[in-house]
Amino acid sequence: MTKLASAIKAQILVNLEALVTTGSINSFISLDQNPNPLSIQPSGGYPFAIVGMSRITSEFEDNDTNMHTYRYDILFVLDPSALKNPDTDVEDLIDAALNQFDTNFTLDGTAVAAVLPASVQGQPVSTGDKSLLVFVITLEARALYTLGS
């Protein structure tokens, strides 16, 4: 049995680890069930990233092959009060994350049909006692699935 989704997700986590190593983020977690940035306390502080479960679409390629597209929404969470440069820190993190994934566009060969260009959406979120900035980088990794694998 071919395990495409777990291999792709593992490579996304490798790339997030690279962002930790460069100091772009402090930590990340992989959590499939209802990740909520307001209730999660990051182990390394802010900023941190959350990778949830993928959404998958499939297209018929030929008699033996389907093209699967695995969509991962990676949520980056920042504490606005901890920003050293409030005018540029968010954009700098977006650029660092996009560059990390743009330079690893096959996710070490797990997305053999490449990762489509990423999209980014952001917004503030808050409760009565916590205000955060979040943005989502959406990655769509494409892989070929051979029927009967």
Side-chain angles (χ1 to χ4, degrees), residues 65-145:
T65 311
N66 283 349
M67 175 72 71
H68 289 193
T69 302
Y70 298 86
R71 176 184 164 168
Y72 285 92
D73 294 320
I74 305 169
L75 182 68
F76 289 82
V77 185
L78 301 93
D79 179 352
S81 66
L83 299 176
K84 293 178 185 172
N85 302 298
D87 292 338
T88 59
D89 284 352
V90 175
E91 289 80 6
D92 289 347
L93 177 53
I94 290 170
D95 284 340
L98 287 175
N99 289 338
Q100 180 64 40
F101 287 104
D102 284 348
T103 57
N104 294 291
F105 58 89
T106 68
L107 296 173
D108 199 33
T110 59
V112 295
V115 177
L116 299 174
S119 64
V120 180
Q121 296 180 353
Q123 67 185 23
V125 296
S126 62
T127 62
D129 63 339
K130 191 183 265 189
S131 292
L132 302 171
L133 295 173
V134 299
F135 65 88
V136 175
I137 292 184
T138 300
L139 297 177
E140 292 184 351
R142 296 170 45 159
L144 294 173
Y145 172 74

